[in-house]
Amino acid sequence: MAISTSASRVSLPSQCRSDPAFSGATPRPNGARFSPKLGHASVKRPFGTSSLILRFPPNFVRQLSNKARRNCSNIGVAQIVAASWSNNQPLSSAAEGKAVEAASSSAVSAPISVGEDVVNSSKNSLGCCNGSDSVQFEAMENVRKPSFLSGDGSLAIHAGERLGRGIVTDAITTPVVNTSAYFFKKTAQLIDFKEKRHASFEYGRYGNPTTEVLEEKISQLEGAESTLILASGMCASTVMMLALVPAGGHIITTTDCYRKTRIFIETFLPKMGITASVIDPADIAGLESALDNHKVSLFFTESPTNPFLRCVDIELVSKLCHAKGALVCIDGTFATPLNQKALALGADIVVHSATKYLGGHNDVLAGCVSGSTEIVSQVRNIHHVLGGTLNPNAAYLIIRGMKTLKLRVQQQNSTAQRMAEVLEAHPKVKHVYYPGLQSHPEHELAKKQMTGFGGVVSFEVDGDITTTIKFIDSLKIPYIAPSFGGCESIVDQPAIMSYWDLSQSERAKYGIMDTLVRFSFGVEDYEDLEADVLQALEAI
């Protein structure tokens, strides 16, 4: 490593923490991610989670005058002291004095650590990052998961933030960066950016420091190389399909799925010559037939599905699709990254409506696409053209919501399992759909690929549409609303909430009976929810 205090270079053998920052990357204009390089060294980005973290002596800041502290980013004083300290070499009083003096007078900038974040504003006399006076750090191998974070609950809290947040602050919470554009100090710096020598988001549609923290947090939970956050779950699904399925391509999907997704596949994609095969989630023979008879680009389904919570054998489906050159995308919204790791099971992409469990508080809309950098970059390219950008304030809400993700999901898993068993035994309930029940057609598969079965239970009331309406209206705790996965319990009658524009016979084609109820259990006390459901059933 080297630092320039004049035209010459001085060796700087400083060290990094044993647990480096979470990996991250700066957005390229074409949607990929990169670490800008100069010669054989890497220029560290001014934001992003791969910044180098230098260790300072505990009393370092107190040793500097206020004036020197205000100006220490203009010279390498931080690195000079840190390098000496990290090598266990005491800094002499004379050297310290020279460093402080230089800090208050020099105009050459260098990285300085604030808390646990680092910013690098190195530039030459033209304001560029490619001159001989630039501070250059050797590239370091990224470690995606620090050794002290072993569980998903810890990752949901700290991933993308502790030890690697790309925003210079000593605040525990990630700040909201409300900006629509990013400026360049000189035209030469803009040219450096265009030629990949300077890192910047450039424009709000291409990225945001707050949003990037959220993307890294989700990547850590999913075990993904990269994540793209978008304005809604539907935005994530549709942009993903537009990016990965060529004109004239073919998609395989399943019979049970979110209705708006089906509408997009059946109504919009045909305008680009894209056709689709629709199979039962468990129909492996149908999958093989579709793969043999079509040039399939993508297999896309939910697992569990909406609203019947069917499960797809992700490992088997992935093997069959990959053998034919098709990608596999799993919508894991019902499962959450805590209950199911679709990428580890063989899927190429996992999407979520972050509106649901990730946000967890019924107060924000968002969606995300996770997978390899190569695949997500293709989606990112289209996203930069179409828009659908998530506001950084919304990103902050999801970051905050994810800190309680494990606690919420554990409670919802437990409540849903117990309530599913109560409902299945109740004489006024005809059928219950929940992967945690032995009666579920994919129960054994769910046990194999899930660690929990989620907080949504669908069931059919014994009666007709009027009976079902009376049951729902008799409930006191849940809200009658769409969506799921929040702290508050939500209940809806799909025949009315999602399919009311279709006739009864048309609804039946999709298995949507008038007596079907979808109940999303929140984090209320189980005893209160059980009592409420039982009294509502007694009312019919």
Side-chain angles (χ1 to χ4, degrees), residues 456-498:
V456 177
V457 178
S458 294
F459 55 95
E460 293 176 12
V461 173
D462 188 8
D464 56 17
I465 191 169
T466 304
T467 307
T468 308
I469 290 172
K470 185 175 182 180
F471 163 73
I472 288 178
D473 288 349
S474 297
L475 291 165
K476 296 180 173 61
I477 293 177
Y479 290 93
I480 302 173
S483 197
F484 58 90
C487 292
E488 300 87 358
S489 290
I490 284 178
V491 67
D492 78 83
Q493 200 169 346
I496 298 175
M497 183 67 72
S498 303

Short mmCIF file of all heavy atoms in Angstrom, two decimals, residues 456-498:
data_model
loop_
_atom_site.label_atom_id
_atom_site.label_comp_id
_atom_site.label_asym_id
_atom_site.label_seq_id
_atom_site.Cartn_x
_atom_site.Cartn_y
_atom_site.Cartn_z
N VAL A 456 -49.04 -17.75 6.98
CA VAL A 456 -50.32 -17.69 6.27
C VAL A 456 -50.97 -19.07 6.24
O VAL A 456 -50.33 -20.07 5.90
CB VAL A 456 -50.13 -17.17 4.83
CG1 VAL A 456 -51.46 -17.19 4.07
CG2 VAL A 456 -49.55 -15.76 4.85
N VAL A 457 -52.25 -19.11 6.59
CA VAL A 457 -53.04 -20.33 6.53
C VAL A 457 -54.28 -20.05 5.69
O VAL A 457 -54.99 -19.07 5.93
CB VAL A 457 -53.47 -20.80 7.94
CG1 VAL A 457 -54.34 -22.06 7.83
CG2 VAL A 457 -52.26 -21.07 8.81
N SER A 458 -54.52 -20.89 4.68
CA SER A 458 -55.75 -20.78 3.89
C SER A 458 -56.67 -21.94 4.27
O SER A 458 -56.19 -23.06 4.53
CB SER A 458 -55.44 -20.82 2.39
OG SER A 458 -54.69 -19.68 2.00
N PHE A 459 -57.97 -21.67 4.28
CA PHE A 459 -58.91 -22.74 4.65
C PHE A 459 -60.28 -22.43 4.07
O PHE A 459 -60.59 -21.29 3.72
CB PHE A 459 -58.99 -22.91 6.17
CG PHE A 459 -59.34 -21.67 6.94
CD1 PHE A 459 -60.67 -21.38 7.31
CD2 PHE A 459 -58.36 -20.77 7.32
CE1 PHE A 459 -60.99 -20.24 8.03
CE2 PHE A 459 -58.67 -19.62 8.05
CZ PHE A 459 -59.98 -19.36 8.39
N GLU A 460 -61.11 -23.49 3.97
CA GLU A 460 -62.47 -23.35 3.45
C GLU A 460 -63.47 -23.55 4.58
O GLU A 460 -63.41 -24.55 5.30
CB GLU A 460 -62.72 -24.36 2.33
CG GLU A 460 -61.89 -24.09 1.07
CD GLU A 460 -62.09 -25.16 0.02
OE1 GLU A 460 -63.02 -25.98 0.17
OE2 GLU A 460 -61.29 -25.20 -0.94
N VAL A 461 -64.33 -22.57 4.71
CA VAL A 461 -65.39 -22.64 5.71
C VAL A 461 -66.50 -23.56 5.20
O VAL A 461 -66.80 -23.59 3.99
CB VAL A 461 -65.94 -21.24 6.02
CG1 VAL A 461 -67.15 -21.31 6.94
CG2 VAL A 461 -64.84 -20.38 6.63
N ASP A 462 -67.13 -24.32 6.09
CA ASP A 462 -68.26 -25.19 5.70
C ASP A 462 -69.51 -24.33 5.58
O ASP A 462 -70.08 -23.90 6.58
CB ASP A 462 -68.45 -26.28 6.77
CG ASP A 462 -69.46 -27.33 6.33
OD1 ASP A 462 -69.89 -27.28 5.14
OD2 ASP A 462 -69.82 -28.19 7.14
N GLY A 463 -69.89 -24.03 4.33
CA GLY A 463 -71.04 -23.17 4.12
C GLY A 463 -71.02 -22.60 2.72
O GLY A 463 -70.55 -23.25 1.78
N ASP A 464 -71.47 -21.37 2.56
CA ASP A 464 -71.47 -20.71 1.26
C ASP A 464 -70.82 -19.34 1.40
O ASP A 464 -70.21 -19.03 2.44
CB ASP A 464 -72.90 -20.60 0.71
CG ASP A 464 -73.85 -19.90 1.67
OD1 ASP A 464 -73.36 -19.21 2.60
OD2 ASP A 464 -75.07 -20.01 1.51
N ILE A 465 -70.96 -18.51 0.37
CA ILE A 465 -70.30 -17.21 0.41
C ILE A 465 -70.83 -16.34 1.55
O ILE A 465 -70.07 -15.60 2.20
CB ILE A 465 -70.45 -16.49 -0.95
CG1 ILE A 465 -69.54 -15.25 -1.00
CG2 ILE A 465 -71.91 -16.13 -1.24
CD1 ILE A 465 -69.42 -14.65 -2.39
N THR A 466 -72.13 -16.45 1.82
CA THR A 466 -72.73 -15.65 2.91
C THR A 466 -72.20 -16.10 4.27
O THR A 466 -71.89 -15.28 5.14
CB THR A 466 -74.26 -15.77 2.87
OG1 THR A 466 -74.73 -15.37 1.59
CG2 THR A 466 -74.89 -14.89 3.94
N THR A 467 -72.09 -17.41 4.44
CA THR A 467 -71.56 -17.95 5.69
C THR A 467 -70.13 -17.48 5.92
O THR A 467 -69.74 -17.09 7.03
CB THR A 467 -71.57 -19.49 5.65
OG1 THR A 467 -72.87 -19.95 5.30
CG2 THR A 467 -71.15 -20.08 7.00
N THR A 468 -69.34 -17.49 4.84
CA THR A 468 -67.94 -17.08 4.94
C THR A 468 -67.81 -15.60 5.25
O THR A 468 -66.96 -15.18 6.05
CB THR A 468 -67.20 -17.42 3.64
OG1 THR A 468 -67.44 -18.79 3.30
CG2 THR A 468 -65.71 -17.20 3.78
N ILE A 469 -68.67 -14.79 4.64
CA ILE A 469 -68.68 -13.36 4.93
C ILE A 469 -69.01 -13.12 6.41
O ILE A 469 -68.38 -12.28 7.07
CB ILE A 469 -69.69 -12.62 4.03
CG1 ILE A 469 -69.20 -12.60 2.59
CG2 ILE A 469 -69.94 -11.20 4.54
CD1 ILE A 469 -70.22 -12.06 1.59
N LYS A 470 -69.95 -13.87 6.93
CA LYS A 470 -70.33 -13.71 8.34
C LYS A 470 -69.16 -14.07 9.26
O LYS A 470 -68.92 -13.39 10.26
CB LYS A 470 -71.54 -14.57 8.66
CG LYS A 470 -72.07 -14.35 10.08
CD LYS A 470 -73.35 -15.14 10.34
CE LYS A 470 -73.86 -14.86 11.74
NZ LYS A 470 -75.12 -15.62 12.04
N PHE A 471 -68.44 -15.14 8.90
CA PHE A 471 -67.28 -15.53 9.69
C PHE A 471 -66.24 -14.39 9.72
O PHE A 471 -65.76 -14.00 10.78
CB PHE A 471 -66.65 -16.80 9.13
CG PHE A 471 -65.24 -17.05 9.61
CD1 PHE A 471 -65.00 -17.46 10.92
CD2 PHE A 471 -64.15 -16.84 8.77
CE1 PHE A 471 -63.70 -17.67 11.38
CE2 PHE A 471 -62.86 -17.05 9.22
CZ PHE A 471 -62.63 -17.46 10.53
N ILE A 472 -65.91 -13.88 8.56
CA ILE A 472 -64.89 -12.83 8.47
C ILE A 472 -65.34 -11.57 9.20
O ILE A 472 -64.56 -10.94 9.93
CB ILE A 472 -64.57 -12.52 6.99
CG1 ILE A 472 -63.77 -13.70 6.39
CG2 ILE A 472 -63.80 -11.22 6.84
CD1 ILE A 472 -63.43 -13.57 4.94
N ASP A 473 -66.62 -11.21 9.05
CA ASP A 473 -67.11 -9.99 9.70
C ASP A 473 -67.21 -10.16 11.21
O ASP A 473 -67.27 -9.15 11.95
CB ASP A 473 -68.48 -9.61 9.14
CG ASP A 473 -68.39 -9.06 7.71
OD1 ASP A 473 -67.25 -8.78 7.26
OD2 ASP A 473 -69.44 -8.92 7.05
N SER A 474 -67.21 -11.40 11.68
CA SER A 474 -67.30 -11.65 13.13
C SER A 474 -65.94 -11.58 13.81
O SER A 474 -65.86 -11.51 15.04
CB SER A 474 -67.94 -13.02 13.40
OG SER A 474 -69.26 -13.08 12.91
N LEU A 475 -64.87 -11.61 13.03
CA LEU A 475 -63.52 -11.52 13.60
C LEU A 475 -63.28 -10.11 14.13
O LEU A 475 -63.69 -9.12 13.53
CB LEU A 475 -62.49 -11.87 12.54
CG LEU A 475 -62.45 -13.34 12.08
CD1 LEU A 475 -61.63 -13.47 10.79
CD2 LEU A 475 -61.87 -14.24 13.17
N LYS A 476 -62.57 -10.02 15.26
CA LYS A 476 -62.33 -8.72 15.89
C LYS A 476 -60.88 -8.25 15.77
O LYS A 476 -60.62 -7.05 15.81
CB LYS A 476 -62.70 -8.80 17.38
CG LYS A 476 -64.17 -9.06 17.64
CD LYS A 476 -64.45 -9.13 19.13
CE LYS A 476 -65.94 -9.23 19.43
NZ LYS A 476 -66.56 -10.43 18.85
N ILE A 477 -59.94 -9.18 15.63
CA ILE A 477 -58.53 -8.79 15.61
C ILE A 477 -58.00 -8.48 14.21
O ILE A 477 -57.43 -7.40 13.99
CB ILE A 477 -57.65 -9.88 16.28
CG1 ILE A 477 -57.98 -9.97 17.77
CG2 ILE A 477 -56.17 -9.58 16.07
CD1 ILE A 477 -57.23 -11.06 18.50
N PRO A 478 -58.17 -9.37 13.25
CA PRO A 478 -57.54 -9.11 11.94
C PRO A 478 -58.26 -8.03 11.15
O PRO A 478 -59.47 -7.83 11.29
CB PRO A 478 -57.64 -10.46 11.23
CG PRO A 478 -58.84 -11.10 11.82
CD PRO A 478 -58.85 -10.68 13.26
N TYR A 479 -57.49 -7.34 10.32
CA TYR A 479 -58.06 -6.38 9.39
C TYR A 479 -58.49 -7.11 8.13
O TYR A 479 -57.83 -8.05 7.69
CB TYR A 479 -57.03 -5.32 9.01
CG TYR A 479 -56.67 -4.36 10.11
CD1 TYR A 479 -55.57 -4.63 10.93
CD2 TYR A 479 -57.40 -3.20 10.33
CE1 TYR A 479 -55.21 -3.75 11.95
CE2 TYR A 479 -57.05 -2.31 11.34
CZ TYR A 479 -55.96 -2.60 12.16
OH TYR A 479 -55.61 -1.73 13.16
N ILE A 480 -59.57 -6.69 7.52
CA ILE A 480 -59.98 -7.21 6.22
C ILE A 480 -59.20 -6.39 5.19
O ILE A 480 -59.49 -5.21 4.96
CB ILE A 480 -61.50 -7.08 6.00
CG1 ILE A 480 -62.27 -7.82 7.08
CG2 ILE A 480 -61.87 -7.61 4.60
CD1 ILE A 480 -63.78 -7.61 7.03
N ALA A 481 -58.22 -7.00 4.58
CA ALA A 481 -57.32 -6.25 3.69
C ALA A 481 -56.53 -7.23 2.83
O ALA A 481 -56.44 -8.42 3.15
CB ALA A 481 -56.36 -5.39 4.51
N PRO A 482 -55.94 -6.75 1.74
CA PRO A 482 -55.01 -7.58 0.98
C PRO A 482 -53.66 -7.60 1.70
O PRO A 482 -53.50 -7.00 2.76
CB PRO A 482 -54.91 -6.86 -0.37
CG PRO A 482 -55.15 -5.41 -0.01
CD PRO A 482 -56.14 -5.42 1.12
N SER A 483 -52.69 -8.28 1.12
CA SER A 483 -51.33 -8.36 1.65
C SER A 483 -51.26 -9.32 2.84
O SER A 483 -52.26 -9.87 3.31
CB SER A 483 -50.78 -6.98 2.03
OG SER A 483 -49.37 -7.03 2.15
N PHE A 484 -50.03 -9.50 3.33
CA PHE A 484 -49.77 -10.41 4.46
C PHE A 484 -48.36 -10.14 4.96
O PHE A 484 -47.60 -9.37 4.39
CB PHE A 484 -49.93 -11.87 4.02
CG PHE A 484 -49.04 -12.30 2.89
CD1 PHE A 484 -47.77 -12.83 3.11
CD2 PHE A 484 -49.47 -12.19 1.57
CE1 PHE A 484 -46.95 -13.20 2.06
CE2 PHE A 484 -48.65 -12.57 0.51
CZ PHE A 484 -47.39 -13.07 0.75
N GLY A 485 -48.00 -10.80 6.04
CA GLY A 485 -46.63 -10.75 6.54
C GLY A 485 -46.32 -9.64 7.51
O GLY A 485 -45.18 -9.52 7.95
N GLY A 486 -47.30 -8.81 7.86
CA GLY A 486 -47.05 -7.71 8.79
C GLY A 486 -47.29 -8.11 10.23
O GLY A 486 -47.69 -9.23 10.54
N CYS A 487 -47.05 -7.16 11.13
CA CYS A 487 -47.27 -7.41 12.55
C CYS A 487 -48.75 -7.60 12.86
O CYS A 487 -49.12 -8.35 13.78
CB CYS A 487 -46.72 -6.24 13.37
SG CYS A 487 -44.93 -6.09 13.34
N GLU A 488 -49.60 -6.91 12.11
CA GLU A 488 -51.03 -7.03 12.32
C GLU A 488 -51.59 -8.20 11.51
O GLU A 488 -51.24 -8.38 10.35
CB GLU A 488 -51.75 -5.75 11.90
CG GLU A 488 -51.31 -4.50 12.66
CD GLU A 488 -50.12 -3.81 12.05
OE1 GLU A 488 -49.58 -4.32 11.04
OE2 GLU A 488 -49.69 -2.76 12.57
N SER A 489 -52.48 -8.97 12.10
CA SER A 489 -53.14 -10.05 11.37
C SER A 489 -54.07 -9.47 10.32
O SER A 489 -54.69 -8.42 10.53
CB SER A 489 -53.93 -10.95 12.33
OG SER A 489 -53.06 -11.70 13.15
N ILE A 490 -54.14 -10.17 9.18
CA ILE A 490 -54.96 -9.73 8.06
C ILE A 490 -55.74 -10.93 7.53
O ILE A 490 -55.20 -12.05 7.44
CB ILE A 490 -54.09 -9.13 6.94
CG1 ILE A 490 -53.63 -7.72 7.32
CG2 ILE A 490 -54.82 -9.10 5.60
CD1 ILE A 490 -52.71 -7.06 6.31
N VAL A 491 -56.98 -10.73 7.19
CA VAL A 491 -57.81 -11.80 6.64
C VAL A 491 -58.50 -11.30 5.38
O VAL A 491 -58.82 -10.11 5.25
CB VAL A 491 -58.86 -12.27 7.68
CG1 VAL A 491 -59.89 -11.19 7.96
CG2 VAL A 491 -59.54 -13.57 7.24
N ASP A 492 -58.67 -12.20 4.41
CA ASP A 492 -59.44 -11.82 3.23
C ASP A 492 -60.09 -13.05 2.61
O ASP A 492 -59.70 -14.18 2.88
CB ASP A 492 -58.56 -11.09 2.20
CG ASP A 492 -57.67 -12.01 1.40
OD1 ASP A 492 -58.15 -12.58 0.40
OD2 ASP A 492 -56.49 -12.17 1.77
N GLN A 493 -61.10 -12.80 1.82
CA GLN A 493 -61.85 -13.81 1.09
C GLN A 493 -61.44 -13.66 -0.37
O GLN A 493 -61.91 -12.76 -1.07
CB GLN A 493 -63.35 -13.55 1.28
CG GLN A 493 -64.26 -14.72 1.01
CD GLN A 493 -65.68 -14.45 1.48
OE1 GLN A 493 -65.92 -13.49 2.23
NE2 GLN A 493 -66.63 -15.26 1.04
N PRO A 494 -60.52 -14.48 -0.89
CA PRO A 494 -59.99 -14.30 -2.24
C PRO A 494 -61.05 -14.14 -3.32
O PRO A 494 -60.86 -13.39 -4.28
CB PRO A 494 -59.15 -15.56 -2.46
CG PRO A 494 -58.69 -15.93 -1.09
CD PRO A 494 -59.86 -15.62 -0.20
N ALA A 495 -62.18 -14.84 -3.18
CA ALA A 495 -63.24 -14.74 -4.19
C ALA A 495 -63.73 -13.30 -4.33
O ALA A 495 -64.13 -12.87 -5.42
CB ALA A 495 -64.40 -15.65 -3.81
N ILE A 496 -63.68 -12.55 -3.23
CA ILE A 496 -64.12 -11.16 -3.25
C ILE A 496 -62.93 -10.20 -3.42
O ILE A 496 -62.95 -9.30 -4.25
CB ILE A 496 -64.91 -10.82 -1.97
CG1 ILE A 496 -66.17 -11.68 -1.88
CG2 ILE A 496 -65.28 -9.33 -1.94
CD1 ILE A 496 -66.96 -11.51 -0.59
N MET A 497 -61.88 -10.42 -2.64
CA MET A 497 -60.75 -9.50 -2.63
C MET A 497 -60.00 -9.48 -3.95
O MET A 497 -59.61 -8.42 -4.44
CB MET A 497 -59.79 -9.88 -1.49
CG MET A 497 -58.60 -8.95 -1.33
SD MET A 497 -59.06 -7.29 -0.79
CE MET A 497 -59.51 -7.60 0.93
N SER A 498 -59.79 -10.66 -4.55
CA SER A 498 -58.92 -10.74 -5.73
C SER A 498 -59.61 -11.19 -7.01
O SER A 498 -59.08 -10.95 -8.11
CB SER A 498 -57.76 -11.70 -5.44
OG SER A 498 -57.04 -11.29 -4.30
#
